[in-house]
Each structure stands twice: as structure tokens, then as C-alpha cells.
Amino acid sequence: MAEFMTETKQRPAVVPQANGSPEPCRRRRPAGVAGPGPLDEHEAAVILDRARASVDPQLRAAIESLPGSMRRIALHHFGWEQADGTAAAGNAGKAIRPALVLAAATALGGPGARATAVRAAVAVELVHNFTLLHDDVMDRDTSRRHRPTAWTVFGDADAILAGDALQALALKLLAGDPHPAAGAAAARLADCVVELCAGQHADTALEKRRPDEVTLDEALAMAEAKTGALLGCACALGALYAGAGEGEVAALDAFGRQAGLAFQLIDDVIGIWGDPSRTGKPAGADLAARKKSLPVVAALASGTPAAAELAELYGRPYERQDLERTVLAVERAGGRDWAQAQAADRMGRAVQELARAVPDPESAGDLLALAEFVTRRSS
């Protein structure tokens, strides 16, 4: 299918009010972003671009320090070189995780803390891309960021080794950082990598089970480990570099985890209904791979006739002519609506955790903007 069946419904993030009723999130715009009214997607992009500008020079320098064979693979993965080694100006990603590090440091420690947290932000981005290189091999994804994935160009072994090298680079950066929080940050990031691996292992284990054997609780726990853990770690590292106390670090970790679950829920929706020209991935790839994404698991657990149809489709090998029918079965069984409602709920929880750590809305602006951005994105 060249295009998605339907457009992703956009629901506003919600903030629990004093009376318990949800209202669309309206907040002050982040520092450095001017203009009237609530922050929009363009303005969130300004925050991400600012983070990318801060992080990319050190990120590029770290990758350039790799041995030649590993460096070539990493530069291709980040979009800075073609597969033949010639220069390219590709997309290195949205920089959501490093932006969270810098936003958390700024929220609790001001611009000075942001400047000292850049190395930690680079380390988080390296770990994120280590997971992407490995995920692409395991999932057999052939494109990412509108270019061939590393394993399709260099082979499985080289892509895996390049990912390993990025993880080692991340910990090396923190080990060599003179900042007093660097040791605690390195330990926290290492713990996060272990949790990420456990989450990925749970994901692959779930794929081997029959559709009716996977519960929503299991799928949500797996998503928190695979996605929420690193966003929580990013926020926690920013707090550590700002000199925050244990309670503030824990609250920002919880904020990132809840935002990460919202991110994964929307990512799973995009994986079924998003536009390949924007996502850089083929339409229906998750369904073709019979992945038990959150909308699929919710649909299967609905007890509806559409759930039975979906279970029957998932119980047999993928055939291209079944893709449209599978997409419609997930939607009719409520998987899409559940995922979008759950993403809004997780955003509300994230806002509550953020208020614990950063009570001042002005200081929390960048963090809130980034959290809302991941629940409104379409690619």
C-alpha cells in the first residue's frame, strides 16, 4: 500500500484538573520561543533543532573517533555519509532524547546546567542509536529515516558491532567527563541499557507466543522497558547534571517513562496508519511481521468479532492481500481508539510527575512541550 488507509486522529494531551476532569493542555511557551497562544508543532521543532545544534558537534566528534570500519557504518546510520563513503546531509533523527536531557538540566539548574549537560545528552543519543541498529537487525527493517538500514548495506554482523561500539562510546564519554554527576549518570545509563535489553528480550519472547496468550499488562511493561526507560533516563541525567535532589531525579525519571509510554503508543499507531513518505518505513510493516504492538494487543483483548477476525489473520503467515483487512480489523476492534486514549492518559500522568519536580510552569515549558510533541506527532 502506497498510503495509509486513514489519517491518525489527533487528540490533545490532557492535564488532570482539580476537579478530576481532563482538559486540553495549554501551557506557557518555552524559553526562547516567541509568539502568542499555545505552543504548536513548529515551535516544538525549534526546541529539537536547538538541541540538535548543541549535540551534533560532540556526537560527530565521538563517532569520528571510532576505527574506520565502525565509523563508516555509524556515519551512514546517522545520515552523514552515503554507503560508499561520500558525504551526505541526511536526517540524524529528531533528537528527542538529548533534548530531554538538556531541557531537564535547564529546568532545574538554568542555562549553565544545560551547557554542562551536553556530553550526557550525546551519551543518551548514542545509546538510542545503538538500540536502533540492533532493532533493525532483529526486526529485519530495511529502511530508517528514508535510507537503507545499516544491516542491509553492511550485513548483520557489522551493524550489530557498530551498535556495540556506540554503546561503548556513550559510557566512555561519561567516564571521561569531569562533571561531579558523571559517575552517577554513567551508572544510571548502564542500568538503563540492561533494562532496554530486558525489554527487547520480552518483545521477542512475546512474538513467539500465540496472539491470545499476550496480555495488555505484559505489552505495557515491555513498552516501558523498551521505550519509557531511556526517556526517563534522559530526564534523570539532566536532573543529575543540574545538581537536583533524589526526589526530583525520581520524579523526572517517572515523567520521562510516562511520556515514553505515550510515545510508544503513538509510534505503534503510526506503524499501522502513518504515511510512509513521512515515517521512512513501509506501510504495515509491523502487521506484516505479526508484531504484537499495543493497538494490536488491545484489539485482540476486546472480545469483539473483529478481535476474532484479527486473531485468525495473525495466526497464519502474512499475505499482502490481507493487509487492508488486518488494518481494518485492528481499528474495528478498538485498538486505535484505545491506544490514542491511553496515550492521552499517560501524558496526564507525565504532567503530574513533572509538576512534582518542577512546579514552576515557565521552567517546565521545554519538558512539557517535548512530552506533548511525542503524543501529537505523525512520523
Side-chain angles (χ1 to χ4, degrees):
M1 284 170 49
E3 296 182 355
F4 280 156
M5 303 294 299
T6 52
E7 301 250 333
T8 300
K9 297 177 185 175
Q10 297 296 325
R11 301 190 181 205
V14 293
V15 180
Q17 303 298 302
N19 63 5
S21 63
E23 287 190 3
C25 178
R26 293 293 182 265
R27 56 192 166 346
R28 299 169 186 243
R29 62 190 59 254
V33 177
L39 185 133
D40 63 24
E41 195 168 311
H42 170 72
E43 293 162 326
V46 172
I47 300 169
L48 295 170
D49 287 345
R50 195 166 60 217
R52 180 59 73 195
S54 297
V55 165
D56 272 3
Q58 289 195 36
L59 179 63
R60 184 71 181 257
I63 291 170
E64 292 286 357
S65 73
L66 290 171
S69 57
M70 296 293 96
R71 181 170 65 246
R72 182 183 171 195
I73 299 165
L75 289 171
H76 165 78
H77 170 75
F78 279 98
W80 293 327
E81 279 189 6
Q82 305 287 0
D84 62 4
T86 57
N91 172 21
K94 294 183 179 67
I96 290 169
R97 292 154 189 83
L100 285 170
V101 176
L102 300 178
T106 305
L108 291 170
R114 175 191 172 93
T116 65
V118 171
R119 191 179 293 197
V122 173
V124 167
E125 185 72 340
L126 287 167
V127 164
H128 172 53
N129 282 276
F130 138 70
T131 67
L132 296 183
L133 282 161
H134 284 202
D135 281 356
D136 286 342
V137 173
M138 287 183 277
D139 295 341
R140 310 315 285 172
D141 285 335
T142 58
S143 64
R144 181 177 292 280
R145 299 167 184 160
H146 306 280
R147 58 183 173 271
T149 48
W151 73 268
T152 67
V153 176
F154 302 100
D156 289 2
D158 283 359
I160 291 169
L161 291 169
D164 293 342
L166 294 188
Q167 182 195 166
L169 264 184
L171 296 176
K172 180 182 178 182
L173 280 178
L174 292 178
D177 191 350
H179 194 284
R188 196 171 196 107
L189 188 58
D191 284 342
C192 180
V193 169
V194 173
E195 187 173 359
L196 289 170
C197 292
Q200 181 62 36
H201 182 267
D203 189 19
T204 56
L206 291 182
E207 294 310 309
K208 297 174 184 175
R209 289 160 57 182
R210 290 203 331 256
D212 59 352
E213 294 178 338
V214 179
T215 68
L216 265 177
D217 285 344
E218 288 177 309
L220 285 166
M222 177 270 293
E224 180 177 349
K226 275 193 65 175
T227 304
L230 188 55
L231 269 71
C233 182
C235 296
L237 261 58
L240 287 171
Y241 270 70
E246 185 176 329
E248 293 167 317
V249 173
L252 277 184
D253 183 273
F255 159 75
R257 284 174 179 270
Q258 292 298 331
L261 273 172
F263 181 102
Q264 187 60 57
L265 284 153
I266 296 302
D267 195 65
D268 285 352
V269 169
I270 292 168
I272 300 173
W273 291 281
D275 182 349
S277 69
R278 300 190 64 179
T279 65
K281 288 188 173 185
D286 286 354
L287 297 179
R290 296 296 188 249
K291 289 188 71 66
K292 298 177 183 69
S293 63
L294 290 164
V296 168
V297 175
L300 289 167
S302 68
T304 62
E309 180 184 8
L310 180 61
E312 187 268 327
L313 288 165
Y314 253 54
R316 67 191 195 205
Y318 169 74
E319 294 183 9
R320 185 169 180 80
Q321 63 264 30
D322 287 338
L323 180 58
E324 182 175 345
R325 184 181 165 201
T326 307
V327 170
L328 292 173
V330 177
E331 183 147 18
R332 286 200 304 268
R336 183 178 187 172
D337 285 344
W338 175 87
Q340 290 177 319
Q342 186 72 198
D345 176 68
R346 295 294 176 168
M347 178 64 179
R349 298 187 199 187
V351 170
Q352 290 178 323
E353 295 292 349
L354 179 58
R356 287 177 51 212
V358 191
D360 175 33
E362 187 71 32
S363 298
D366 281 24
L367 286 166
L368 188 55
L370 291 168
E372 185 173 344
F373 171 76
V374 303
T375 66
R376 288 179 176 268
R377 66 198 184 91
S378 59
S379 64

